[in-house]
Amino acid sequence: MWRKNGESESFKQLVKGVHLQVSGYFQPQFWTDKDGVKHSRVILIATEVAQIPKKENTGKAG
């Protein structure tokens, strides 16, 4: 999702302070580098990104 691709509209939503809801799935990745060292990571494949409204502060103590 965060790599530059045809879905560049999602990059415009990445602004400090904006609340986002991200839907998708996790995908494990495994590889061996040129020195024979095994690596692994889990990445999030985002299928949908939506901006959500911030809750307004009412100023009341709870």
Side-chain angles (χ1 to χ4, degrees):
M1 181 68 190
W2 310 120
R3 294 180 185 165
K4 292 190 177 184
N5 57 30
E7 290 288 330
S8 62
E9 284 296 314
S10 61
F11 286 103
K12 294 178 183 177
Q13 297 181 46
L14 297 176
V15 179
K16 183 177 179 180
V18 172
H19 293 196
L20 297 176
Q21 176 178 324
V22 179
S23 300
Y25 58 94
F26 292 104
Q27 180 181 51
Q29 293 184 337
F30 306 94
W31 71 97
T32 303
D33 66 19
K34 64 181 179 180
D35 298 323
V37 178
K38 293 182 179 182
H39 299 272
S40 65
R41 66 180 173 192
V42 176
I43 61 171
L44 171 64
I45 305 295
T47 56
E48 185 176 340
V49 178
Q51 187 172 343
I52 56 175
K54 293 181 182 179
K55 293 181 181 178
E56 291 189 26
N57 187 357
T58 60
K60 294 179 181 178

